[in-house]
Amino acid sequence: VVSTTTRTSRSTNLEQNHVPGELESVQQKFVHRWFNELVSLHSRKERAYHTVCHLEEMFGFIDLILEHERDHKNEHEQICTIIRDAVIPLSIFFHDAVYDAKSATNEEDSLSLYQSFEKDLFETILEISP
């Protein structure tokens, strides 16, 4: 289970990584829009397992694994950093983000939501690119 301190520092880090000016505003809006969407989906009353608490537990397990990684750095550090900072958190947030107990397509629907996120991400990158 992720401690309140870990949750708070993760949220604070997310909100404190700002770039000055217009870029900051675009990035903040993008991050807040998707973060709020995913938290909202995982907070729905009908969810018994894939909840915000489940996300916190998964991030806690990843934190334990990453502590071990930090103690055993290797020559693939850049790849490990990308996986740690992007791939793993996105995988955790989007796995069963769309959930309906009566549906057989939750994984496909969650993938579709991720694809919407990805499209929005690339459009945002193009918007802020010089």
Side-chain angles (χ1 to χ4, degrees):
V1 177
V2 177
S3 71
T4 304
T5 305
T6 304
R7 277 194 317 267
T8 303
S9 66
R10 184 175 288 118
S11 297
T12 303
N13 287 344
L14 219 135
E15 293 172 3
Q16 288 180 348
N17 290 332
H18 299 306
V19 178
E22 185 177 325
L23 179 62
E24 174 184 337
S25 176
V26 173
Q27 287 177 332
Q28 283 179 333
K29 287 177 186 174
F30 178 83
V31 169
H32 288 288
R33 180 174 64 245
W34 279 99
F35 182 81
N36 290 335
E37 172 70 16
L38 291 166
V39 168
S40 175
L41 287 168
H42 285 87
S43 299
R44 296 175 77 179
K45 291 181 205 174
E46 66 270 13
R47 287 178 173 254
Y49 181 70
H50 290 105
T51 63
V52 172
C53 182
H54 175 64
L55 294 177
E56 291 174 350
E57 290 170 344
M58 292 186 67
F59 279 114
F61 292 130
I62 295 303
D63 287 343
L64 291 173
I65 292 167
L66 294 177
E67 281 179 31
H68 177 76
E69 175 201 324
R70 281 186 283 274
D71 295 338
H72 300 89
K73 291 189 180 205
N74 60 38
E75 69 271 7
H76 304 293
E77 189 172 338
Q78 185 176 9
I79 293 170
C80 291
T81 299
I82 292 169
I83 292 170
R84 181 192 68 228
D85 293 346
V87 175
I88 292 173
L90 290 173
S91 298
I92 290 172
F93 270 120
F94 281 96
H95 92 282
D96 279 330
V98 176
Y99 179 76
D100 176 355
K102 298 175 185 174
S103 175
T105 62
N106 289 325
E107 286 82 7
E108 291 85 356
D109 296 340
S110 294
L111 173 60
S112 179
L113 179 66
Y114 173 79
Q115 289 168 333
S116 295
F117 163 81
E118 190 176 67
K119 181 178 184 250
D120 191 18
L121 174 63
F122 287 122
E123 288 171 357
T124 301
I125 289 170
L126 289 174
E127 180 181 332
I128 63 176
S129 295

